[in-house]
Amino acid sequence: MRRIEIILSRLLWLIPTLVGLVVVVFFIANVVPTDPARIIAGENATTEQVEALRAELGFDRPLWEQLGIYVRDLATGNMGRSLYTQRPIADDLAHRLPATLELTFAAIIIAIGLGIPLGVVSAVKRNSLTDQVLRVLSVSGLAIASFWLAMELQMLFSTRWGLTPLNGRISGFGPDEITGFFVLDSLLTWDMESLGGALLHLLLPAVTLALPAAATILRFTRAGVLEVINSNFVLYETAMGLPRGLIIWKYVLRNALISTVTQIGLIFGVLFSGAVVVEAVFDWPGLGTYAVQSILQSDNKAILGFTILVGVVFIVVNLIVDILHTFIDPRTLK
Amino acid sequence: MRGLPLALVAAALAFTGAAGPAAADRYVHANNSAYDTLDPHVVGDVARVATRLNFYDGLYRWVDNPPQLIPWLATSHTVSDDGLVWTFSLRDDVPFHDGSLMTAEDVVWSVERMLALKRGASTLFLPVLDPGATKALDDTTVEFTLKTPSAIFGSIVSDIYVMNSDLVKENEVDGDWGQAWLTDHVAGSGSYMLDRYDPAVGFIGERFEDHFAGWGESYYDEIEFRTVLETNTRVQGLMRGDYQGLDGYLAPDQIARLRDSDNVQIIEQESMRVFHFAMNNRRPPFDDVNFRKAMAHAFDYEGFIGSILQDSVVRNPTIIPNNMWGAPKDVEGYTFDLEKAKEYLDKVEGPIRTIHIGTLAGFSETEQAASLLQNALAKIGVTAEIESAPWPVVNSRMQDPEQMYDMVPYWKSTYYADPNNWIGELYGARYIPTRNVSGYDNPEVNARLEKALVSTDQAERQTLYEEAARIVYDDAAGIWIYNTKWYGPYSTEAAGIRFSPVGNAQDMRWAHPAD
């Protein structure tokens, strides 16, 4: 019952959080001194043409009224049309969302695959040379600028060695669309050529995105393991003669992962929004490139749509982490 | 764990040749701008011209450099004595992609659609052509009755992209002129038919074998235009052979890098894209010709062109491109001379305040030009502040006389090859405040520009534009710096690239694999 109460309370908080997000983002987007009517009308439009278009599209109305219309439309899933392309923004975001999610999932899998084992090794071999090297690497992973790393990986793997594609999500266009996730769609349609292409294209951007996240996970795992490894139950299990590997990888890790899981949830949100830079360098046709284009074109409505979507993802991921916590650590129910 | 990435690469390579180059009969172009709509009537920018030129046809077409207007859907035209009625004869053998034949009704419907949407190229037509003023006299004759005579009308009909009106009407929703459908569908007669389209990626076009203009012996069967935002990625992709062509206005260091590659050829042409500073002539102290002349003498033309741009452009002393008729050939241009600038500054009657220069974020040349001027001005006691913003923000402010910066460095591209595209639009009073953002209003210049706009005598028009350009030059209404050179980066396996300043070589019907 307590768990349901917590979930319901979190869900209720979603409403004011989302409303606050929309209002704040809407006003910030309208602070930028751009004239949307002029952007739509084009560079060569006369003042009369711009004024006619402004009235037609409602940009001459007070900002509060425009906000009311926007919220009303948003409630029905209508985010308006891009000022620049005239395409429905919700359609554009929905079309690009699988690309960004696929990249983010791949990155988080790599980050977990690297971060947790290395974190455990670092803790177990505390203050050894291995630990020192891993700690330096984790600090470097956090410090390296992702655009620089992306270009270096491109130079080495694509240009010099010719092992991976330079950019894009796949050569040409993707497999027959079912979910929009190329790896999944390739498997569902058993299109092995597309699967190979999708994995190969995914590799460099996912690694670029994953490394800082892996460094964070490594540090949290190390700290968690160090905290647990000196517990009485570990001493007891050791005294009972249980193998060292079993104690570390099963019992210690399980108890040490509580804070890491919270971090993974937060990292997912950071990776999702952080994909902007990586997508731009690798020409990955996801939400990041959409955001970059929208910013360069001062397409306020598209920026608004992107920001709200990222905000919603953050909120939902936090909600899921909160719920997961109640399962991993039942003490939070008290 | 260390072996995992390489194992994945090996496994993926076993399945696909994804990292390899494109096939020889396929042309792949990487562009820095998104192909986010296929509707030719809602966009008019140069960056997205490939969809218009390859999927659609206009009445006439611009080719080559200097640009030549050649008959296309229309074979000829006549103009009434009063310059108001333009009658075009159309070809009777133009199939759309679905096989139906184009008629004058399609032209009329396309013009009405363009005017109704009030976007893209419509802004060129609306000042002279009202909705309902275009008539189909028969299947192959279309007549335009203009509001006022316009000598440039013939130059802009290339922007009337004709649609298969029956097909679009079938896909109209709530009287939207087929806007929703045409965003990702094509209803044209152009050289290529739409094969695949993804607004996040680009498009693939398949050769339209029945195109009315026919095909030569060699051509590309398939063209692909992809959006690749990052310059470094585009450059590396061309060198690797992933792409056969890129956009042609890259920075000098990237061009130098490409020149070193054995796989790449650079096609060099003087374009018609003038880089200049617009000056707000309305606001003191810029309303004083002495102050404007001081500004003109405070810019280091040689330093900018020679050192910063490594002589990759050509000095252009007036607003009309050197290679355009109507450009006065005897004008040498202002020189960088701080002594002279100081002399002019001393003659300024009013107070001299801090000036504000707006630059285009992401376009480093505008920032470099502004910084260069700022440094020189500091030496003669004038303080300049630089504000950088994205082009739409700068453009919005430029077109509002209240918010216009004191100076803005930017390029004037070729929308149609006529001197009016430059001097008319930038210094003619009829274009204040939209295109004439400097607010320059000189009755002597206006008289010449207006006369040139209605005259049908080419020699007279040339003289009028030359005279107007000299007056504008003497008034130092702006700072005119250079005419851009187009460095088309292409694979050595591509041939037949035909550059025109109007279409920037993206009309792919002329291109073909090298022998």
Side-chain angles (χ1 to χ4, degrees), chain A:
Chain A
M1 276 311 287
R2 176 72 184 134
R3 179 172 289 128
I4 293 170
E5 273 175 32
I6 289 176
I7 293 171
L8 283 177
S9 131
R10 295 282 192 278
L11 284 172
L12 274 176
W13 269 107
L14 264 184
I15 299 166
T17 312
L18 283 174
V19 170
L21 173 74
V22 170
V23 171
V24 169
V25 173
F26 182 86
F27 281 110
I28 288 175
N30 278 282
V31 165
V32 181
T34 343
D35 184 348
R38 188 166 290 288
I39 292 173
I40 298 172
E43 289 173 27
N44 296 321
T46 62
T47 307
E48 293 73 30
Q49 290 163 11
V50 173
E51 290 307 323
L53 203 59
R54 183 174 292 122
E56 187 185 320
L57 298 172
F59 290 127
D60 57 343
R61 297 180 189 176
L63 211 52
W64 279 108
E65 201 177 325
Q66 290 185 47
L67 172 64
I69 294 168
Y70 186 76
V71 171
R72 185 195 66 199
D73 290 346
L74 197 61
T76 61
N78 178 7
M79 291 179 151
R81 286 180 179 271
S82 153
L83 301 180
Y84 193 66
T85 69
Q86 292 302 301
R87 298 175 62 83
I89 292 163
D91 288 1
D92 275 349
L93 293 176
H95 180 66
R96 288 165 176 267
L97 184 61
T100 300
L101 282 178
E102 189 171 55
L103 177 60
T104 311
F105 281 133
I108 206 92
I109 288 168
I110 295 172
I112 292 171
L114 286 174
I116 290 179
L118 292 178
V120 173
V121 170
S122 185
V124 171
K125 296 181 181 291
R126 190 183 183 190
N127 293 333
S128 68
L129 181 64
T130 311
D131 182 35
Q132 302 293 354
V133 169
L134 285 172
R135 284 166 71 182
V136 169
L137 284 178
S138 70
V139 172
S140 308
L142 288 170
I144 290 172
S146 55
F147 69 87
W148 178 84
L149 178 64
M151 286 182 184
E152 290 301 309
L153 290 175
Q154 280 181 323
M155 286 290 287
L156 283 176
F157 285 88
S158 306
T159 305
R160 186 168 295 176
W161 297 331
L163 287 172
T164 60
L166 190 65
N167 63 320
R169 203 177 165 201
I170 202 159
S171 292
F173 288 68
D176 294 339
E177 190 168 324
I178 299 170
T179 63
F181 292 82
F182 281 2
V183 173
L184 194 58
D185 287 352
S186 309
L187 286 170
L188 290 173
T189 55
W190 204 244
D191 180 350
M192 288 299 110
E193 192 181 334
S194 293
L195 178 64
L199 286 172
L200 209 52
H201 281 78
L202 195 53
L203 191 58
L204 293 190
V207 167
T208 308
L209 199 57
L211 286 185
T216 306
I217 293 172
L218 187 155
R219 291 162 69 87
F220 271 86
T221 307
R222 181 180 181 276
V225 171
L226 283 177
E227 198 180 312
V228 177
I229 209 163
N230 293 320
S231 306
N232 288 337
F233 80 87
V234 177
L235 186 65
Y236 174 75
E237 284 167 351
T238 308
M240 290 292 289
L242 286 179
R244 178 81 172 154
L246 183 70
I247 296 171
I248 298 292
W249 293 100
K250 189 172 179 186
Y251 299 108
V252 171
L253 188 57
R254 191 173 176 183
N255 284 284
L257 276 183
I258 295 169
S259 60
T260 309
V261 168
T262 311
Q263 280 306 313
I264 290 170
L266 294 174
I267 285 169
F268 184 88
V270 172
L271 290 184
F272 185 79
S273 53
V276 170
V277 173
V278 175
E279 285 190 7
V281 177
F282 285 102
D283 181 35
W284 191 263
L287 295 171
T289 47
Y290 185 75
V292 171
Q293 282 166 5
S294 305
I295 290 166
L296 290 176
Q297 293 155 354
S298 288
D299 192 341
N300 288 4
K301 280 197 163 183
I303 297 168
L304 192 59
F306 167 78
T307 313
I308 288 171
L309 180 64
V310 170
V312 168
V313 169
F314 252 102
I315 292 168
V316 170
V317 168
N318 274 314
L319 178 70
I320 293 170
V321 168
D322 282 350
I323 294 169
L324 276 179
H325 251 199
T326 64
F327 287 98
I328 296 171
D329 187 2
R331 287 172 296 182
T332 54
L333 292 173
K334 289 177 185 169

Side-chain angles (χ1 to χ4, degrees), chain B residues 465-482:
Chain B
Y465 283 124
E466 286 178 3
E467 288 173 3
R470 283 194 190 92
I471 301 170
V472 172
Y473 174 84
D474 289 339
D475 277 345
I479 303 177
W480 309 287
I481 302 169
Y482 70 76

